[in-house]
Amino acid sequence: MTVKELYELAKNMMFEKKSSKDYDGYYMLWINVLLSENFDLNNHLRLKHGREKLTEVPTVSLDTDVLPYENEMCWEILPYGLAAKFFIDDDLSKYDIFNTDYENRQSKYMWGVEVEVEDVYRSIN
């Protein structure tokens, strides 16, 4: 998913017109905030999918930049977070709705990741 696709998805969820430019000056910065907020959770998803962790928080600067996060993050979590960020100053009731969905979707993916366990208890005969 690209930055622009995420922005358009969030606007659609908010029932904003496609031509609306109300948030054009804010979305890039908010997306970078969301990437930072969700860095650990995304690494958790990467491990669950058998992929290597990212070593540093990515940032985006262009509409065409591809978000380097897992599909669940891009389609199910980030759009709600972005919509919530847009409403934080305009409409607190809508902010609450989107932020609650954002947090619920984050917690949906906070399940365990299987790892090998080191035996620290050696058999004592």
Side-chain angles (χ1 to χ4, degrees), residues 17-121:
K17 293 180 182 173
K18 194 166 185 71
S19 61
S20 171
K21 298 190 183 294
D22 291 348
Y23 305 101
D24 284 3
Y26 307 101
Y27 72 93
M28 194 70 66
L29 294 171
W30 279 126
I31 289 173
N32 282 317
V33 167
L34 290 168
L35 293 175
S36 179
E37 282 180 0
N38 289 284
F39 180 71
D40 289 334
L41 179 57
N42 188 71
N43 272 342
H44 180 80
L45 287 170
R46 290 178 68 87
L47 288 176
K48 188 68 175 172
H49 296 156
R51 298 177 67 193
E52 293 288 320
K53 284 182 168 183
L54 297 176
T55 57
E56 58 185 53
V57 176
T59 58
V60 293
S61 56
L62 301 170
D63 283 342
T64 55
D65 286 348
V66 174
L67 299 169
Y69 277 11
E70 302 302 289
N71 282 333
E72 301 94 328
M73 185 66 64
C74 292
W75 289 99
E76 294 185 50
I77 298 171
L78 296 179
Y80 287 90
L82 187 56
K85 301 295 187 204
F86 289 155
F87 279 127
I88 200 164
D89 191 39
D90 292 339
D91 187 331
L92 287 179
S93 64
K94 288 182 181 176
Y95 165 78
D96 284 339
I97 291 167
F98 279 101
N99 195 59
T100 298
D101 279 342
Y102 172 55
E103 291 174 349
N104 287 341
R105 289 166 187 276
Q106 285 175 315
S107 61
K108 174 182 175 183
Y109 290 103
M110 291 182 188
W111 17 248
V113 175
E114 293 179 21
V115 294
E116 281 196 39
V117 177
E118 180 184 345
D119 182 8
V120 295
Y121 301 100

